[in-house]
Amino acid sequence: PDDGKVTEAIQKRKQDSKLTEDDFEKQLKQAGLDDNMLREQVKRELAITALRDKEKTRVKPPTDDDIKKYFQDHRADFVAARGADISVIVTDPVNNGIGTDDAIGNAAAEQKIRGIYEELKNGRDFATVAQQRSEDPATAVRGGELGFGSEDQLKQSFATRPDIPAQLMSMDVGQFTEPIKDNVSGRWYIIKLNAKREKAQALTFDDQNVRQSIVDRINQQRQQLGQLRTHKRE
């Protein structure tokens, strides 16, 4: 990709983050990046995406009948697991290089998270606080959003606190936890429940993302088959 496309992608990323220029630069610094490193990272991502798109054009796209047959033959694969959609605010005792609001040391990390908890109890917006004060740059730029995770995925995300998934599933949507400590890393979390799925549900053909998921799987299989045939000819 040329420099213009890289600049355009970075500007879109800034707009999507809904942060000011200063806050975006702060998040970059938290992630250990400068402007040149960000440009190189975005350039690689655009190149990879372009390569994948090129590979997709080499295979015949699946027809509607192909897609429907795949769904009928693989119904067991299309199940929405029990789980929760969450957002997080994090304080971390390590030096994250984010200036005066960086909690360095275990005592400072605990003090900061408890102060944040009081702000939230007094009605401050969770996403705004996450953007301004969370020390996890990957989620802070999205207002703390971590997204949906099945119970198994949540157990992996919070491996040292196996009690967290059950706690989240017992909460009401919109509630957030008290500060929770990871006793291995020393990190502190406040977790907000955005939505939850109480029971695993079989998806239908018309459910969101099912069709695209099938198209992606068929294309991937056809690409792999094409690569195998190319290797045999060679």
Side-chain angles (χ1 to χ4, degrees):
D2 59 32
D3 287 342
K5 288 184 178 180
V6 174
T7 299
E8 183 181 340
I10 291 174
Q11 289 302 322
K12 184 177 185 305
R13 185 172 295 190
K14 289 180 178 180
Q15 291 171 3
D16 291 344
S17 73
K18 298 179 181 178
L19 296 175
T20 65
E21 190 74 26
D22 288 343
D23 286 339
F24 188 84
E25 291 296 327
K26 184 187 292 186
Q27 294 297 336
L28 274 187
K29 189 175 180 181
Q30 280 184 276
L33 300 172
D34 58 26
D35 288 338
N36 290 332
M37 294 167 68
L38 176 63
R39 291 190 69 83
E40 285 301 314
Q41 178 178 305
V42 171
K43 189 174 184 179
R44 285 196 301 270
E45 291 172 358
L46 290 175
I48 291 169
T49 299
L51 179 60
R52 286 175 176 165
D53 290 343
K54 185 177 180 181
E55 287 295 324
K56 288 178 182 178
T57 63
R58 295 182 180 180
V59 299
K60 182 180 178 181
T63 65
D64 284 343
D65 287 341
D66 292 334
I67 298 169
K68 290 176 182 177
K69 184 178 186 306
Y70 187 98
F71 179 76
Q72 294 297 333
D73 292 344
H74 300 82
R75 277 184 174 273
D77 294 347
F78 296 96
V79 177
R82 172 180 157 93
D85 184 295
I86 62 174
S87 296
V88 295
I89 295 174
V90 181
T91 62
D92 192 335
V94 303
N95 187 340
N96 297 291
I98 59 173
T100 57
D101 197 35
D102 190 4
I104 302 174
N106 293 323
E110 180 176 1
Q111 181 180 12
K112 179 178 175 180
I113 200 72
R114 296 200 181 280
I116 289 173
Y117 181 63
E118 292 301 319
E119 290 183 48
L120 296 173
K121 287 202 301 181
N122 288 331
R124 283 209 66 196
D125 177 63
F126 193 98
T128 301
V129 176
Q131 285 182 341
Q132 295 175 350
R133 306 204 64 195
S134 181
E135 296 179 16
D136 180 56
T139 54
V141 296
R142 301 192 300 271
E145 291 182 10
L146 194 59
F148 182 88
S150 66
E151 284 187 291
D152 286 342
Q153 290 170 332
L154 292 171
K155 288 176 183 177
Q156 293 174 7
S157 297
F158 302 101
T160 66
R161 292 297 304 263
D163 56 308
I164 288 179
Q167 180 180 354
L168 291 172
M169 296 305 296
S170 70
M171 292 165 51
D172 293 329
V173 171
Q175 287 185 322
F176 49 84
T177 67
E178 294 183 357
I180 299 171
K181 185 179 182 181
D182 181 326
N183 291 320
V184 175
S185 67
R187 280 184 148 205
W188 286 85
Y189 300 94
I190 297 175
I191 308 171
K192 181 183 177 183
L193 180 66
N194 301 318
K196 65 178 176 179
R197 187 180 294 122
E198 300 274 8
K199 298 179 181 179
Q201 298 174 352
L203 297 172
T204 70
F205 184 73
D206 295 323
D207 279 317
Q208 185 179 12
N209 299 327
V210 167
R211 181 184 178 89
Q212 187 57 50
S213 174
I214 294 173
V215 170
D216 291 343
R217 293 185 191 191
I218 294 176
N219 283 338
Q220 185 178 25
Q221 290 175 355
R222 291 180 176 179
Q223 288 166 14
Q224 291 172 345
L225 182 59
Q227 291 168 359
L228 286 173
R229 288 172 175 167
T230 300
H231 290 321
K232 285 182 179 179
R233 286 198 299 269
E234 291 174 350

